[in-house]
């Protein structure tokens, strides 16, 4: 009889112990980092975002609810069809629970649509379009780090305040560029400025001469570069050849990060005003994190990479609090939990999926002002989150009305 009780207890323990683990589908949590690793945005996010995601997993402890955490990655080559095929394969056959980073707005919109269809979490840190939390919002989709509205309010607002009240845009011809131009133009007009014209070009172009000449001949005080990555760097380099700045016009790099400043160099980038959500030399905590990142990558991180760290970490915290990786439960926690980590303090997720946090306005230093490598920014101002990002009721997201 005693033996029977022991066997019964053992059987009961065997059924109870795995119960918590059973709340984690497939016995593991698998996160996919899908971004550009070989094209114009390879430094903007790229393999460095993958490394940031792995740091988040390690800092969390490598397991959640007793289940191991795995990070996989792929290069979408800035092509929505390639990204969509990868996303479907990851969800359908490779047991991926969430996809993150998603540089390039056309890619992010495509993958968010698939994630919504499959009822999977996606957290965008690399793409900018406000459509992600606007007309194309999803109950399972989240937007971290920045968007086109925050860049327009930050960089655009600063330049208009300094007298830059006439603009001409050089815009990359896809969803991101269109959104960035539209948001900035609207903000310029609201502040009493005017837009004299714009020209669009294909992603990854190498010759900007005709576009720059049109901007130059417009007489606009500000030439707005509604692009990012190598496109922005090449635009700035060629603008110097045409004497844009020396001729009295100013360049507005509407999405320019530490990675591109480093690639371009201070001699070419000096004086550019930009907006980022994070900078490594802001405080001791940021410096400590950046040094850890530098030891792994030999470079300092930008807001995309640290934003990816934050997104992965918050996703794991949400799973842990929910006690499951079931999508509805995790999405609920992501909407409710404040974001407190190395990226931001007291960040909040709106009904439309947008994570609201402070943004920062910087100016790129002159070469003689920089004390060491990666010492590139002079802090100008903080843009409070509620000013930087659209409120949910003005985003155009149908979920905001619920």
């Amino acid at each position: 009889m005693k033996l029977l009780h022991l066997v019964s207890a053992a059987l009961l323990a065997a059924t109870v112990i795995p119960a918590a683990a059973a709340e984690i589908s497939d016995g593991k949590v698998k996160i996919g980092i899908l971004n550009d690793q070989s094209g114009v945005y390879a430094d903007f996010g790229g393999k460095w975002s993958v490394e940031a995601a792995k740091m988040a997993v390690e800092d969390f402890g490598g397991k959640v609810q007793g289940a191991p955490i795995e990070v996989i990655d792929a290069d979408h080559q800035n092509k929505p069809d390639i990204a969509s095929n990868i996303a479907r394969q990851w969800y359908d056959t490779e047991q991926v629970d969430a996809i993150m980073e998603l540089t390039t707005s056309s890619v992010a919109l495509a993958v968010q649509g698939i994630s919504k269809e499959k009822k999977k979490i996606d957290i965008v840190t690399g793409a900018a379009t406000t459509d992600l939390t606007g007309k194309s919002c999803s109950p399972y989709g989240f937007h971290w780090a920045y968007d086109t509205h925050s860049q327009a309010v930050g960089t655009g607002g600063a330049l208009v305040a300094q007298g830059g009240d006439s603009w001409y845009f050089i815009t990359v011809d896809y969803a991101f560029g269109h959104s960035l131009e539209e948001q900035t133009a609207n903000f310029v007009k609201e502040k009493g400025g005017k837009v004299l014209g714009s020209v669009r070009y294909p992603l990854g172009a190498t010759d900007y001469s005709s576009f720059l000449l049109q901007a130059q001949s417009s007489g606009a005080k500000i030439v707005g570069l509604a692009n990012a990555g190598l496109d922005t760097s090449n635009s700035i380099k060629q603008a110097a050849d045409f004497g844009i700045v020396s001729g009295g016009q100013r360049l507005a790099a509407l999405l320019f990060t530490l990675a591109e400043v480093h690639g371009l160099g201070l001699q070419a980038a000096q004086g550019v005003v930009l907006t980022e959500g994070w900078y490594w030399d802001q405080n001791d905590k940021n410096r400590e994190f950046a040094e850890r990142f530098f030891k792994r990558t030999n470079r300092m991180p930008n807001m995309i990479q640290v934003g990816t760290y934050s997104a992965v970490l918050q996703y794991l915290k949400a799973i842990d609090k929910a006690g499951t990786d079931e999508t509805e439960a995790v999405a609920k926690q992501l909407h409710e939990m404040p974001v407190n980590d190395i990226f931001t303090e007291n960040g909040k997720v709106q009904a439309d999926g947008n994570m609201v946090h402070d943004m920062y306005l910087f100016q790129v230093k002159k070469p003689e002002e920089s004390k060491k490598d990666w010492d590139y920014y002079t802090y100008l101002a903080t843009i409070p989150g509620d000013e930087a990002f659209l409120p949910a009721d003005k985003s155009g997201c149908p979920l905001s009305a619920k």
Side-chain angles (χ1 to χ4, degrees), residues 307-386:
T308 301
Y309 173 95
S310 172
V312 171
L313 192 62
Q314 192 74 357
Y315 174 65
L316 296 174
K317 289 178 181 178
I319 291 174
D320 198 39
K321 189 166 184 180
T324 176
D325 64 350
E326 190 273 324
T327 298
E328 297 281 359
V330 174
K332 182 176 185 293
Q333 292 300 328
L334 284 170
H335 276 102
E336 293 177 355
M337 293 168 54
V339 182
N340 288 295
D341 55 31
I342 193 62
F343 183 74
T344 192
E345 293 182 0
N346 298 316
K348 59 183 180 182
V349 176
Q350 299 183 144
D352 58 8
N354 208 2
M355 198 273 279
V356 174
H357 56 90
D358 292 348
M359 299 291 289
Y360 306 97
L361 191 68
F362 300 104
Q363 185 163 5
V364 179
K365 291 182 175 182
K366 297 176 181 178
E368 61 269 23
E369 294 172 337
S370 177
K371 298 176 182 178
K372 57 185 177 181
D373 284 348
W374 300 97
D375 174 27
Y376 297 156
Y377 290 173
T378 297
Y379 166 82
L380 297 179
T382 296
I383 305 138
D386 290 336

Side-chain angles (χ1 to χ4, degrees), residues 98-219:
I99 297 178
M100 302 187 195
E101 219 270 37
L102 295 167
T103 314
T104 316
S105 292
S106 53
V107 163
L109 288 165
V111 173
Q112 181 154 293
I114 293 168
S115 301
K116 183 178 181 180
E117 170 196 331
K118 301 288 185 181
K119 292 191 176 180
K120 297 284 190 177
I121 300 287
D122 73 275
I123 306 180
V124 178
T125 59
T129 179
T130 51
D131 284 352
L132 287 160
T133 52
K135 63 183 181 181
S136 299
C137 68
S138 162
Y140 318 118
F142 299 86
H143 202 175
W144 240 246
Y146 76 108
D147 64 14
T148 51
H149 188 269
S150 68
Q151 304 310 110
V153 171
T155 307
L159 291 170
V160 172
Q162 293 173 13
D165 56 4
S166 61
W167 287 62
Y168 188 95
F169 290 95
I170 297 175
T171 302
V172 61
D173 192 11
Y174 75 99
F176 153 66
H178 303 169
S179 181
L180 187 53
E181 178 188 329
E182 179 185 11
Q183 295 280 345
T184 308
N186 288 343
F187 193 78
V188 168
K189 292 171 187 175
E190 285 174 11
K191 298 299 180 182
K194 55 187 175 182
V195 176
L196 302 184
S198 65
V199 62
R200 292 180 175 178
Y201 72 89
L203 177 65
T206 55
D207 183 2
Y208 297 85
S209 56
S210 65
F211 316 131
L212 289 164
L213 285 171
Q214 290 178 62
Q216 193 172 44
S217 64
S218 75

Side-chain angles (χ1 to χ4, degrees), residues 28-37 46-55 57 68-76 83 85-102 308 312 315-316:
K28 64 181 180 299
V29 170
K30 197 169 183 179
I31 300 168
I33 304 299
L34 184 57
N35 62 8
D36 175 13
Q37 299 181 14
K47 61 184 179 181
W48 319 116
S49 287
V50 178
E51 200 62 35
K54 291 177 179 177
M55 285 179 67
V57 170
I69 306 161
E70 182 181 351
V71 174
I72 64 171
D73 66 276
D75 182 357
H76 60 48
N85 288 338
I86 293 169
R88 289 189 183 279
Q89 180 181 334
W90 279 0
Y91 287 148
D92 292 344
T93 66
E94 298 192 28
Q95 301 173 333
V96 168
D97 298 293
I99 297 178
M100 302 187 195
E101 219 270 37
L102 295 167
T308 301
V312 171
Y315 174 65
L316 296 174

